[in-house]
Amino acid sequence: MLKALHKTGLVFFPAFDWAIDPTHPEREERLLYTQDQVTEEGIFDIPGIIEYKPMLATAEDIRRAQFCVPDEAAITTESHLISAGGAKVIADAVMNKEVKNGFALIRPPGHHSMRVSHGGRGFCHINIEAIMVEYIRSRYGVKRIAIVDTDCHHGDGTDNIFWHDPDVLFISLHQDGRTMFPGTGFPGELGGPNAKGSNLNIPLPPGTSTEGYLYVINHCVLPVLNEFKPDLVINSAGQDNHYTDPLTNMNFCAQGYAELTTLLKPDIAVLEGGYAIEGALPYVNLGIILAMAGIDYTGVVEPDYNPEKLKQSVSITDKIKKTTAQINKYWSQRFQMREDAGKPGEIQIRHKEIFYDTDNIFERQKERVRICKDCGGCFEIDSQATPGFHILGVHIPINACPACIEKGYEFFDKSVENKYHHVFLMDRPKGNYHIK
Amino acid sequence: MIIGLDVGGTHTYAVLLSNQGVEKSVKVTTNHADLFSTVLSGFTQLLESIDPSQIERAVISTTLTTNAIIQQTMEPVGMIVSAGPGIDPEFFRTGEHYYAVSGSINHRGREKASVNEMQIQDIAKKMVDAGIEYVGVVSKFCVRNPSHEILIKRMLNKYFKKIFLGHHVSGNLNFPRRIATTHLNAAVFSLHKSFFEAVKKSLTEKGLTVPIQILKADGGTMSLEASMHFPGQTVLSGPAASIMGAIPYAPEGQDAIVLDIGGTTTDIAFLVDKAPLLEPVGIQRGSYKSLIRSLRTDSKGIGGDSTLRVKDGNLTIGPDRQGPAMAFGGPLPTPTDAMVVLNVMDTGDREKATAGIETIARQLGLSIEEAAEKIFKTCCTIILKKTFEMIDQINSQPVYTVHDFLEGYKLSPQKILVLGGPAPFFAQKIEDLYQIDTLAVPNSPVANAVGAALARTTCEVSLYADTEQGIVTAHEEDFAEPISKTFSEDDLMETAYTLLKEKAINSGADPENLEEVEVVEFQKFNIIRNFSPRGKIFRTKMQLKPGLIKGYETVLH
Ligand SMILES: [Zn+2]
Ligand SMILES: [Zn+2]
């Protein structure tokens, strides 16, 4: 009889009544065909597969991960809150050991939403993975978490949120930023001074096929995970690497996704992008669900699948091998790089410009971080959006040392109130969020 | 006047109803080995000294198909399934003569791989050689495009007595359940057919010539003729009959719990404003999952005759039944004995009951009275705990739209209706323990038969319109029509209503009972390709709600 080898939890929230706008790729129809395929396959009847109802995430949940400007209510709709809440429900099911692993098939996605959010970027308003990760850390005290972002776009929002965090390993596989939105995610982007090497960005050339993806997983991601020894592995399971995706130029297939999932063994997978809603998503999602549940997925093949046509060229293979070697080198040098990044107590400054393509907002940031060898370091972000607000966000990391806690409050107290519309302080050790 | 007959696990009840109320009722011991003579004997006794020409309607609910499944006396039938991409169809094997074939339809109903005729001919030959007479054919996404099933049927017609097709079973998606359901229909067909033809013949000989209606698992009825195509729908119509029998006593505009307390099990169900709650997909009992529309019921292995034991100082009740209560000559003490001891029941041999409860009392270190009280209370607690678990489960059902998430209806029953032999005794206790208004349904023993008698015809249609492909379909009804780009929501609803009425009349509905129409589901999507609209997808399900026929609402009060 058909039975899940691993108990797998699913939250399926297609938000059939929510869209950015009627012809937008992120619209009502997006998970329609997935639902048809999954229902027709009888997925929810398989013993060992448990479907959960999503819940609403709260402002408190978001405030562990992000500064929403001017506030949470202004930049989210119910769909965003249900999407983040759906990820939380899966996290609870996995952490309470009701299931071995879980997959949140939810929309809208979140991985382009950064520490400071003034609105929608790349169809994302709030970062559902980051909200889930911070919820897990606060609620269950989990220390080391690895996020592997396999969406075809650089997971720049998640990358940004965990930029200074040595306890969260963020690995993003994506189509080369020179050819696609958001234009970032190069190998040299390795994380802040206190966390160098805990962000790994692996750009892949257009035309990368299943062979290339699995090469990177086997020769870089798995060895790195092996060394990092995370307590939890999370997969930002974007499905826009598919050979039929209208927004990207890759040659990945449903079998490849299923195999990647089998190799990666994520505890939690969260759906991100994927816009080939008719020809790819039904098969890719089915493949991932079966792989997570440990059920044979060899029958999940797109009707028009032609491996010959999707083969990657020798030059692509070479490029991928070179990038992989480069990343592995950075990874092996990570402690030295952190050592070289600066003296403890020193403040380092970074300037950043961010464009919100969904909401047409331009944001300038000045970030100041305290160099620290004892924790991820506290930091403040001065952020000015046009059109929009000018705010200051201060972050004290969850495992902050006493010096960084003190410095964080100093950032907050010394901020000049009339200079900003709002000043926020995210005190993660205490679980407080202050606004002035 | 109308007749209702319900074949129960232990007894079969038949009632004759006029608009004055129950005119006559009879009770026959159910003989599972010979259900035909059981049914006939029920009718014979009921019709004694009654002029058959006064009878306007007769509804039968039997355990025939349920027994065939439980006792595995279903006939071996052939199954041909075509799966296309997805889970290996070998997992859904129904028996020896099960063949997975090539050919594939996708989720939009587009053909992706054609049927291999040589392969089908080969299989047909193998099945003929094996002596197979009935065959089921199921293809994945046949609900969107049944052409492969129809083609295969055409190729098989000349070899077999009857071919059952997956797309006729239900408008719902679910390939594994569709395979199981199609198989069930094929496998019980000849049993069902010979049984009801015999019943009909015998009744005609008695002068009863009105069309016979059969009760379905969803608490509705269908004509004998319609039942020949879907004999599987009669499975588990027993619990449906009792729930329908409770409806006259359910509060209007409120939710209610129905508890049917039998000898070995208690069936639990829910009414919302006098309408029973349906299973979201189809009957599910244990590992058996189907697409057969059914009332949402669950049962708990506890009843009046459940065996009482003490294990490690703890009282256990059931789930087995070793015979009747000791008060009625059984071998071991039961909850019924406790009720006899407590004097809440004044039948049976009180001495024997007391002797039985005494053994339990001794092991629990309680007085006989205290033990009996504890037994009775524990019974109620177990049943109610299961009931509240079901309510939680219903209320935590996943939803797929923001609207449903925010507006989701929460079941919160304010009344309990109890049926079954010991109903009056339980009702009082449950009310005392839980402070919920609890009522023992009057005429409780025959409530099932009354429920069957008063049930109206139900049916459901599922429509799917795709303006990009220019077609509206209800393949379950063999309906497909071209549509233009301007096809609207109103057009869809109008088509659905027409089909629903037609289906109801064909299933034997009285034209006066066609008003309880309900849109169960409606969705509308824009089809966008390359950032521009290409058309719309509409989906709807419309049903005739389960409920009671008109003209008899007041007679039972
Ligand atoms: Zn993407
Ligand atoms: Zn520090």
Side-chain angles (χ1 to χ4, degrees):
Chain A
M1 205 182 95
L2 185 58
K3 195 171 164 275
L5 191 65
H6 319 300
K7 252 192 176 181
T8 296
L10 297 177
V11 164
F12 187 74
F13 190 72
F16 284 150
D17 50 355
W18 184 86
I20 289 178
D21 67 59
T23 63
H24 198 282
E26 179 44 80
R27 64 179 177 276
E28 296 97 332
E29 186 196 4
R30 207 182 132 218
L31 288 179
L32 175 63
Y33 309 106
T34 291
Q35 189 191 37
D36 286 353
Q37 189 76 33
V38 165
T39 310
E40 178 70 343
E41 298 288 345
I43 285 292
F44 300 117
D45 286 336
I46 298 173
I49 292 189
I50 301 161
E51 189 182 13
Y52 290 89
K53 184 181 184 174
M55 56 187 280
L56 279 170
T58 60
E60 191 196 347
D61 291 324
I62 303 169
R63 288 170 176 189
R64 291 190 201 98
Q66 295 182 280
F67 301 110
C68 288
V69 187
D71 56 34
E72 293 74 22
I75 64 162
T76 58
T77 65
E78 278 97 359
S79 296
H80 297 105
L81 301 178
I82 299 170
S83 189
K88 266 181 73 182
V89 166
I90 277 298
D92 280 332
V94 171
M95 297 310 296
N96 293 328
K97 299 205 163 31
E98 287 166 36
V99 291
K100 166 111 184 358
N101 55 32
F103 184 16
L105 288 107
I106 47 189
R107 56 177 284 267
H111 76 148
H112 294 302
S113 182
M114 300 194 171
R115 179 70 77 184
V116 180
S117 179
H118 291 272
R121 286 189 74 239
F123 326 153
C124 308
H125 289 238
I126 52 173
N127 194 310
I128 52 187
E129 278 96 2
I131 291 167
M132 179 182 79
V133 163
E134 294 301 350
Y135 170 72
I136 292 171
R137 295 212 285 187
S138 282
R139 174 80 199 271
Y140 299 98
V142 175
K143 187 146 191 271
R144 295 166 78 75
I145 293 181
I147 305 171
V148 182
D149 187 322
T150 49
D151 188 278
C152 196
H153 300 91
H154 176 220
D156 58 347
T158 318
D159 180 273
N160 176 262
I161 291 174
F162 298 107
W163 186 252
H164 295 298
D165 197 329
D167 295 329
V168 176
L169 171 66
F170 175 75
I171 306 176
S172 178
L173 277 67
H174 46 261
Q175 186 175 328
D176 194 320
R178 285 168 299 196
T179 61
M180 212 175 55
F181 178 88
T184 51
F186 296 100
E189 299 168 26
L190 290 158
N194 304 327
K196 277 260 182 290
S198 81
N199 284 33
L200 298 177
N201 283 300
I202 312 174
L204 299 169
T208 299
S209 73
T210 303
E211 184 195 339
Y213 281 94
L214 298 184
Y215 180 89
V216 176
I217 296 293
N218 279 312
H219 293 88
C220 178
V221 177
L222 294 181
V224 165
L225 287 178
N226 233 345
E227 233 182 287
F228 182 71
K229 293 192 176 45
D231 301 314
L232 210 61
V233 176
I234 291 158
N235 181 204
S236 285
Q239 311 190 337
D240 37 11
N241 302 293
H242 195 264
Y243 62 87
T244 58
D245 197 277
L247 304 187
T248 64
N249 316 94
M250 299 303 227
N251 284 331
F252 207 26
C253 67
Q255 278 290 315
Y257 269 104
E259 222 171 311
L260 182 150
T261 308
T262 303
L263 289 169
L264 196 60
K265 296 186 190 62
D267 297 290
I268 301 170
V270 177
L271 180 69
E272 277 294 341
Y275 307 95
I277 58 174
E278 198 175 322
L281 258 55
Y283 307 105
V284 173
N285 281 318
L286 180 62
I288 293 176
I289 292 170
L290 295 180
M292 289 194 77
I295 298 169
D296 174 40
Y297 50 76
T298 48
V300 184
V301 179
E302 303 85 336
D304 61 350
Y305 178 63
N306 180 350
E308 280 311 304
K309 263 173 71 182
L310 300 173
K311 262 197 141 156
Q312 77 190 23
S313 70
V314 179
S315 75
I316 290 177
T317 306
D318 283 348
K319 264 190 202 159
I320 293 171
K321 284 186 174 170
K322 272 194 195 121
T323 309
T324 304
Q326 174 75 65
I327 301 290
N328 286 337
K329 197 169 157 209
Y330 283 138
W331 172 250
S332 67
Q333 296 168 343
R334 64 194 182 282
F335 295 118
Q336 189 56 49
M337 288 190 292
R338 287 176 208 176
E339 203 53 49
D340 299 342
K343 295 238 162 357
E346 209 177 279
I347 300 291
Q348 264 191 20
I349 297 173
R350 171 168 80 137
H351 291 274
K352 214 170 152 62
E353 288 173 352
I354 301 156
F355 179 61
Y356 291 62
D357 61 329
T358 305
D359 278 351
N360 257 310
I361 296 168
F362 185 74
E363 180 195 359
R364 277 177 199 284
Q365 284 188 2
K366 181 180 173 191
E367 178 194 272
R368 301 171 70 226
V369 61
R370 180 178 185 272
I371 303 289
C372 186
K373 303 296 174 210
D374 303 320
C375 76
C378 65
F379 57 84
E380 60 166 25
I381 304 170
D382 177 310
S383 155
Q384 171 130 43
T386 341
F389 297 86
H390 186 194
I391 63 107
L392 185 78
V394 179
H395 176 83
I396 302 173
I398 189 158
N399 302 312
C401 67
C404 285
I405 293 175
E406 198 182 317
K407 186 72 193 168
Y409 275 90
E410 193 187 311
F411 281 146
F412 186 64
D413 294 336
K414 283 198 172 163
S415 60
V416 183
E417 273 161 71
N418 57 13
K419 191 176 161 191
Y420 302 104
H421 291 100
H422 298 287
V423 180
F424 304 108
L425 171 66
M426 196 185 288
D427 177 352
R428 292 286 290 120
K430 280 218 185 78
N432 288 337
Y433 192 81
H434 304 283
I435 305 168
K436 58 176 194 183
Chain B
M1 284 193 291
I2 57 180
I3 289 176
L5 181 139
D6 176 56
V7 179
T10 321
H11 294 111
T12 293
Y13 292 94
V15 294
L16 183 69
L17 295 177
S18 72
N19 45 18
Q20 305 300 311
V22 178
E23 295 282 337
K24 189 178 177 186
S25 68
V26 301
K27 173 180 169 184
V28 185
T29 304
T30 302
N31 177 357
H32 288 280
D34 189 1
L35 286 175
F36 176 68
S37 68
T38 307
V39 169
L40 216 58
S41 146
F43 271 104
T44 309
Q45 291 185 34
L46 195 71
L47 289 172
E48 258 171 38
S49 69
I50 301 283
D51 174 10
S53 68
Q54 285 183 282
I55 310 294
E56 306 146 54
R57 170 184 155 97
V59 186
I60 304 174
S61 151
T62 87
T63 53
L64 187 70
T65 40
T66 314
N67 286 354
I69 296 172
I70 294 167
Q71 293 158 9
Q72 312 230 314
T73 50
M74 294 186 288
E75 209 171 322
V77 291
M79 286 299 290
I80 294 181
V81 301
S82 99
I87 295 173
D88 185 352
E90 195 46 47
F91 282 118
F92 316 127
R93 175 171 280 280
T94 50
E96 194 191 338
H97 311 286
Y98 178 93
Y99 300 93
V101 300
S102 54
S104 148
I105 307 276
N106 81 353
H107 43 81
R108 288 284 294 282
R110 293 193 171 104
E111 182 184 69
K112 291 289 168 179
S114 57
V115 173
N116 178 341
E117 301 205 9
M118 294 277 284
Q119 189 186 21
I120 304 296
Q121 296 294 354
D122 256 17
I123 291 166
K125 191 170 175 304
K126 276 187 204 155
M127 292 196 295
V128 169
D129 289 348
I132 297 291
E133 295 180 311
Y134 300 98
V135 177
V137 180
V138 182
S139 70
K140 196 177 280 177
F141 288 115
C142 62
V143 171
R144 297 284 153 73
N145 175 357
S147 63
H148 285 185
E149 287 183 359
I150 293 165
L151 175 64
I152 294 171
K153 178 179 193 240
R154 223 176 277 145
M155 294 165 63
L156 297 179
N157 262 338
K158 58 182 176 216
Y159 303 113
F160 303 99
K161 282 191 176 163
K162 190 168 165 76
I163 319 271
F164 293 81
L165 300 185
H167 71 273
H168 287 148
V169 159
S170 165
N172 288 333
L173 294 172
N174 196 316
F175 185 55
R177 285 183 184 237
R178 197 179 313 117
I179 293 171
T181 311
T182 309
H183 173 259
L184 176 64
N185 280 324
V188 299
F189 173 75
S190 61
L191 179 73
H192 181 89
K193 184 168 190 270
S194 54
F195 180 86
F196 280 102
E197 278 179 350
V199 168
K200 193 177 180 186
K201 187 162 166 274
S202 305
L203 293 180
T204 312
E205 280 166 10
K206 288 189 178 11
L208 191 78
T209 52
V210 292
I212 308 289
Q213 298 269 325
I214 320 277
L215 194 71
K216 300 186 293 175
D218 71 354
T221 67
M222 61 181 166
S223 67
L224 193 56
E225 290 68 32
S227 78
M228 291 308 162
H229 303 291
F230 307 103
Q233 290 189 352
T234 61
V235 73
L236 284 174
S237 61
S242 63
I243 296 157
M244 300 312 286
I247 290 180
Y249 310 100
E252 230 160 284
Q254 278 184 5
D255 302 343
I257 297 166
V258 181
L259 301 176
D260 184 3
I261 303 175
T264 42
T265 57
T266 295
D267 289 324
I268 307 163
F270 303 96
L271 301 172
V272 174
D273 189 15
K274 286 171 136 8
L277 224 56
L278 291 162
E279 282 285 352
V281 188
I283 277 190
Q284 178 168 350
R285 276 281 163 111
S287 66
Y288 181 76
K289 290 169 179 147
S290 76
L291 284 173
I292 295 167
R293 245 168 77 98
S294 118
L295 300 189
R296 185 155 195 159
T297 64
D298 209 339
S299 62
K300 184 79 193 162
I302 191 166
D305 297 343
S306 296
T307 311
L308 298 173
R309 294 186 184 86
V310 177
K311 271 184 204 150
D312 309 323
N314 292 316
L315 176 71
T316 66
I317 306 175
D320 57 321
R321 174 188 192 261
Q322 299 294 335
M326 287 176 77
F328 298 95
L332 292 168
T334 70
T336 302
D337 290 318
M339 284 189 279
V340 173
V341 166
L342 291 171
N343 277 325
V344 288
M345 222 170 126
D346 56 7
T347 52
D349 184 332
R350 190 154 194 273
E351 247 171 71
K352 282 185 184 165
T354 310
I357 298 302
E358 194 186 358
T359 59
I360 300 291
R362 214 179 312 118
Q363 296 176 69
L364 291 172
L366 298 172
S367 73
I368 295 175
E369 188 88 357
E370 284 168 344
E373 186 65 34
K374 185 183 169 81
I375 291 162
F376 198 21
K377 190 177 161 183
T378 308
C379 269
C380 296
T381 310
I382 293 172
I383 293 168
L384 269 292
K385 183 170 175 275
K386 172 81 182 175
T387 306
F388 292 130
E389 279 169 14
M390 279 178 75
I391 293 171
D392 283 348
Q393 209 183 12
I394 289 166
N395 285 339
S396 64
Q397 235 164 252
V399 290
Y400 303 119
T401 59
V402 178
H403 178 265
D404 288 348
F405 182 90
L406 298 173
E407 307 292 325
Y409 184 77
K410 288 265 179 277
L411 188 69
S412 67
Q414 282 140 38
K415 186 163 185 154
I416 302 178
L417 302 164
V418 194
L419 299 110
F425 320 113
F426 272 97
Q428 188 56 51
K429 191 76 191 169
I430 291 170
E431 186 164 286
D432 290 347
L433 283 173
Y434 291 91
Q435 302 295 314
I436 303 174
D437 186 13
T438 307
L439 175 80
V441 171
N443 277 320
S444 197
V446 296
N448 299 27
V450 172
L454 296 182
R456 65 178 173 232
T457 302
T458 54
C459 59
E460 181 185 68
V461 292
S462 307
L463 265 77
Y464 183 86
D466 183 329
T467 69
E468 187 193 19
Q469 297 184 56
I471 190 161
V472 56
T473 60
H475 291 304
E476 198 187 346
E477 327 307 329
D478 288 326
F479 172 85
E481 257 180 17
I483 51 171
S484 76
K485 289 269 176 215
T486 59
F487 187 82
S488 71
E489 193 176 325
D490 289 346
D491 297 333
L492 182 83
M493 291 303 170
E494 204 185 301
T495 313
Y497 185 56
T498 309
L499 286 172
L500 186 72
K501 266 203 308 202
E502 206 174 292
K503 186 175 189 174
I505 299 289
N506 288 338
S507 312
D510 180 339
E512 278 171 37
N513 284 293
L514 292 178
E515 280 155 34
E516 294 293 321
V517 172
E518 185 179 54
V519 176
V520 189
E521 201 182 296
F522 173 76
Q523 289 167 342
K524 178 170 81 175
F525 298 94
N526 292 316
I527 304 167
I528 313 286
R529 293 295 171 269
N530 297 322
F531 303 97
S532 67
R534 290 277 185 79
K536 280 187 164 68
I537 287 176
F538 295 98
R539 298 167 164 191
T540 194
K541 271 187 216 309
M542 200 182 263
Q543 71 158 344
L544 271 174
K545 269 203 280 191
L548 306 183
I549 54 172
K550 285 185 183 166
Y552 292 83
E553 294 90 347
T554 54
V555 303
L556 298 164
H557 286 278

